[in-house]
């Protein structure tokens, strides 16, 4: 486990809030709502979230790091960050539903602001790539001095190309070496505007990272967002999450940052990239002699300057140039490189169709293990279920489906309507509709079973939980 060693005095008076609740729609079909990009390994050995945590641990004590995520991702986030440092397990905060970045930041502030008027907060997205960690820490130190003088600080990246997928910061007068006042913000511009920004050097990319004095930030929330301020002020009467469904979803940029004057931007001395599109994956990937970035089981013939990824079977590509092809077990994306920003529109169209391809992969991670949908059709679904050693599912029942379980390997402890039994390889059990049942793995190796569901309705919301070690009992 990494050991905390103070890197700068600012870390003694500053807390870090890592935002890990995004959906990453522009990296579909790898990124889905139940397993978004920050929880994926997209290069190297660590997920984007783990890379962020590792970087933040170099500057902050674990007790001063807070990770805000969605309830759906809570257990996976805990697992991933605990692998980086065991002291982080209790530092995860769960939103009951997504309300964008401003409420998420306020949820984090609630854990440490107390009565300390001087406490600082640093906000980091969990899905960015950062290079040169020493320069990153130096820039944090510089920003902390500005924040202590009641400046709201953001970090800008000097553009290297006319990027239309990023927001921009308009530079004002210089305040110090590499530090400027902010004259405004520009949402994702068209190509001609972005080219003008690059020529004139008048704008930086908006990195989405901030550092500020918590008390000053909340004063601006009170001024700019009175509805959120009322929600915040009622937190002594009931936890913030209890009022989450009634507050507006709003980003910190639109809700506060773009409405205040006392903002400074620190020019990033570190390498930065928002891994938010397939074009970025291609640009940062290792290219072969033909300029292709290839991952997985791919046969590329006469292809040039293309991104070819397969996570589900053989992908054969012939004569492609400047193309993106991403194949998973249940979906394939084919898109010209220059149309990469249209992937978001694909996701919107799938949502409009009610497609489950937006929600999850065939394999879905759960706190007790995982399940994979092998096949499904009208009135039936076949799953492979893996239960981790020592783990147990909730005690539950279904109104609309019956189930048949077959143990493939491992040892299963099965309880049906109060009757318990131990099952081993090739043994099976039938579970009728409305039967209260439970599955556990008492062994020391993973348990694998095949589950055959049958009935008129087979979706995951047909679960009534009676008891659950992970706190998921139906409210």
């Amino acid at each position: 486990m990494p050991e905390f060693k103070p890197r700068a005095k600012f870390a003694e008076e500053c807390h870090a809030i890592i935002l890990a609740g995004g959906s990453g729609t522009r990296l579909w079909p790898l990124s889905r709502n139940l397993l978004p990009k920050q929880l994926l390994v997209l290069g190297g050995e660590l997920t984007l979230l783990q890379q962020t945590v590792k970087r933040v641990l170099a500057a902050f004590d674990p007790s001063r790091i807070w990770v805000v995520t969605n309830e759906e991702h809570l257990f996976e986030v805990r697992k991933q960050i605990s692998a980086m440092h065991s002291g982080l397990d209790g530092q995860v905060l769960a939103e009951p539903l997504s309300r964008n970045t401003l409420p998420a930041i306020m949820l984090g502030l609630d854990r440490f602001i107390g009565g300390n008027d001087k406490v600082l907060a640093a906000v980091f997205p969990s899905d960015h790539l950062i290079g040169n960690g020493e320069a990153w820490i130096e820039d944090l130190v510089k920003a902390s001095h500005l924040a202590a003088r009641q400046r709201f600080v953001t970090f800008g990246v000097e553009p290297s190309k006319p990027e239309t997928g990023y927001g921009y910061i308009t530079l004002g007068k210089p305040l110090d070496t590499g530090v400027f006042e902010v004259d405004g913000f520009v949402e994702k511009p068209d190509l001609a505007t972005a080219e003008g920004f690059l020529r004139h050097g008048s704008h930086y990319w908006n990195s989405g990272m901030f550092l500020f004095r918590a008390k000053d930030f909340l004063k601006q929330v009170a001024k700019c967002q009175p509805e959120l301020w009322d929600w915040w002020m009622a937190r002594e009467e009931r936890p913030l999450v209890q009022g989450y469904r009634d507050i507006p979803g709003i980003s910190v940029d639109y809700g506060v940052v773009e409405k205040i004057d006392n903002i400074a931007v620190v020019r990033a001395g570190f390498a930065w990239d928002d891994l938010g599109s397939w074009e970025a994956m291609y640009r940062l990937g290792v290219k072969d002699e033909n300029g292709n970035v290839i991952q997985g089981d791919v046969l590329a013939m006469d292809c040039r300057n293309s991104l070819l990824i397969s996570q589900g079977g053989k992908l054969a590509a012939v004569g492609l140039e400047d193309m993106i092809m991403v194949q998973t077990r249940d979906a394939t994306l084919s898109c010209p490189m220059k149309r990469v920003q249209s992937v978001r529109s694909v996701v919107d169209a799938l949502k409009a169709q009610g497609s489950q391809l937006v929600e999850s992969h065939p394999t879905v991670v759960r706190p007790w293990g995982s399940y994979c949908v092998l096949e499904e059709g009208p009135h039936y679904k076949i799953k492979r279920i893996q239960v981790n050693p020592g783990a147990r599912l909730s005690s539950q029942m279904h109104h609309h489906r019956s189930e048949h379980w077959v143990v493939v390997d491992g040892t299963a402890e099965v309880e049906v309507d109060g009757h318990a039994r131990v099952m081993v390889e090739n043994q099976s059990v039938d579970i009728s509709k409305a039967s209260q049942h439970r599955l556990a793995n008492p062994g020391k190796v993973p348990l694998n079973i095949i589950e055959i569901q049958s009935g008129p309705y087979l979706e995951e919301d047909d679960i009534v939980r009676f008891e659950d070690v992970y706190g998921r009992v139906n409210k």
Side-chain angles (χ1 to χ4, degrees):
M1 294 292 180
E3 181 182 353
F4 170 71
K5 296 178 180 178
R7 304 297 301 274
K9 190 176 186 303
F10 86 94
E12 300 173 8
E13 55 196 23
C14 187
H15 288 250
I17 301 173
I18 298 175
L19 303 178
S23 57
T25 55
R26 288 182 294 164
L27 285 180
W28 184 88
L30 285 192
S31 180
R32 314 275 179 105
N33 285 344
L34 291 183
L35 196 65
K37 66 174 180 176
Q38 63 269 21
L39 303 181
L40 299 174
V41 177
L42 296 174
E45 298 179 352
L46 300 176
T47 67
L48 292 178
L49 172 61
Q50 288 175 319
Q51 291 180 48
T52 303
V53 169
K54 180 180 180 180
R55 181 168 60 250
V56 174
L57 278 168
F60 294 83
D61 185 273
S63 66
R64 290 176 173 266
I65 299 173
W66 306 90
V67 181
V68 183
T69 188
N70 191 284
E71 276 187 356
E72 288 282 1
H73 308 142
L74 176 62
F75 297 102
E76 180 64 17
V77 167
R78 278 181 174 169
K79 182 176 76 173
Q80 289 195 12
I81 69 170
S82 293
M84 305 304 297
H85 196 293
S86 59
L88 292 174
D89 183 67
Q91 304 294 102
V92 184
L93 313 176
E95 303 175 280
L97 72 166
S98 177
R99 282 292 183 256
N100 218 315
T101 53
L102 180 51
I105 291 170
M106 295 174 72
L107 198 63
L109 291 176
D110 182 45
R111 289 304 180 98
F112 61 83
I113 187 168
N116 186 348
D117 289 347
K118 295 183 179 181
V119 67
L120 304 179
V123 177
F124 306 114
S126 61
D127 53 1
H128 292 176
L129 293 177
I130 302 290
N132 193 348
E134 292 294 332
W136 177 76
I137 291 177
E138 290 174 7
D139 284 348
L140 290 180
V141 174
K142 186 183 297 184
S144 71
H145 296 322
L146 292 163
R149 298 197 297 269
Q150 297 181 292
R151 285 275 187 178
F152 189 97
V153 187
T154 185
F155 299 83
V157 180
E158 196 166 357
S160 57
K161 61 174 184 170
E163 175 62 59
T164 60
Y166 298 160
Y168 285 73
I169 300 168
T170 307
L171 304 183
K173 70 177 184 180
L175 296 174
D176 200 346
T177 304
V179 181
F180 302 85
E181 286 188 343
V182 173
D183 272 356
F185 295 85
V186 180
E187 289 299 315
K188 299 170 183 177
D190 58 29
L191 181 59
T193 303
E195 289 173 340
F197 290 167
L198 187 64
R199 278 196 307 273
H200 300 137
S202 56
H203 291 74
Y204 285 168
W205 290 334
N206 187 352
S207 73
M209 296 184 290
F210 306 102
L211 200 152
F212 49 82
R213 197 162 73 168
K215 180 183 178 182
D216 298 334
F217 177 78
L218 289 171
K219 284 182 179 178
Q220 295 299 332
V221 173
K223 177 181 176 182
C224 301
Q225 300 297 329
E227 188 173 351
L228 286 179
W229 180 249
D230 290 343
W231 165 69
W232 170 265
M233 290 300 291
R235 73 192 193 285
E236 294 184 2
E237 301 170 9
R238 49 107 180 97
L240 287 176
V241 292
Q242 287 187 10
Y244 227 71
R245 295 185 182 278
D246 300 323
I247 59 174
I250 190 167
S251 71
V252 64
D253 301 80
Y254 181 76
V256 174
V257 178
E258 296 176 9
K259 292 179 168 58
I260 58 179
D261 301 321
N262 196 28
I263 313 177
V265 56
V266 173
R267 182 179 59 213
F270 48 88
W272 174 92
D273 210 294
D274 174 10
L275 197 59
S277 72
W278 289 119
E279 183 277 331
M281 283 284 291
Y282 172 76
R283 175 165 37 84
L284 298 171
V286 178
K287 298 170 181 63
D288 65 13
E289 65 276 8
N290 295 313
N292 299 312
V293 174
I294 296 176
Q295 296 179 14
D297 190 4
V298 176
L299 174 63
M301 301 176 63
D302 195 26
C303 295
R304 302 283 185 276
N305 305 322
S306 294
L307 175 67
L308 306 171
I309 298 176
S310 176
Q311 291 191 354
K314 175 72 76 175
L315 172 61
V318 180
L320 299 184
E321 187 166 354
D322 298 321
M323 286 289 294
I324 294 165
M325 290 200 71
V326 181
Q327 176 176 273
T328 63
R329 187 168 159 263
D330 60 343
T332 301
L333 171 71
S334 177
C335 175
M337 194 77 70
K338 64 182 180 181
R339 294 288 305 276
V340 68
Q341 298 299 335
S342 299
V343 176
R344 188 189 297 273
S345 299
V346 173
V347 174
D348 290 341
L350 290 170
K351 284 181 180 178
Q353 296 172 6
S355 174
Q356 287 298 306
L357 293 172
V358 175
E359 290 300 313
S360 65
H361 292 273
T363 298
V364 177
V365 176
R366 287 289 185 249
W368 42 261
S370 65
Y371 70 81
C372 178
V373 178
L374 303 177
E375 186 176 339
E376 60 183 316
H379 306 300
Y380 80 94
K381 184 181 292 187
I382 303 173
K383 291 181 178 179
R384 181 181 65 247
I385 296 176
Q386 183 171 95
V387 184
N388 297 329
R392 60 192 325 201
L393 282 67
S394 59
S395 177
Q396 58 185 256
M397 60 87 74
H398 312 290
H399 289 293
H400 303 290
R401 72 176 186 243
S402 301
E403 296 176 343
H404 178 76
W405 295 349
V406 180
V407 177
V408 177
D409 54 56
T411 302
E413 187 176 86
V414 177
E415 181 179 326
V416 181
D417 290 331
H419 300 287
R421 59 181 289 197
V422 173
M423 294 168 47
V424 294
E425 181 180 334
N426 206 35
Q427 293 184 325
S428 62
V429 62
D430 290 306
I431 300 166
S432 59
K433 283 188 291 186
S435 291
Q436 186 173 340
H437 58 280
R438 187 168 210 161
L439 174 65
N441 179 2
K444 295 183 179 180
V445 297
L447 163 67
N448 288 282
I449 74 169
I450 297 298
E451 176 182 271
I452 302 172
Q453 302 176 357
S454 59
Y457 185 78
L458 304 172
E459 299 305 320
E460 289 302 303
D461 56 0
D462 181 24
I463 298 178
V464 178
R465 292 188 173 95
F466 301 98
E467 194 274 329
D468 182 65
V469 296
Y470 308 104
R472 300 172 300 162
V473 174
N474 299 67
K475 302 294 187 298

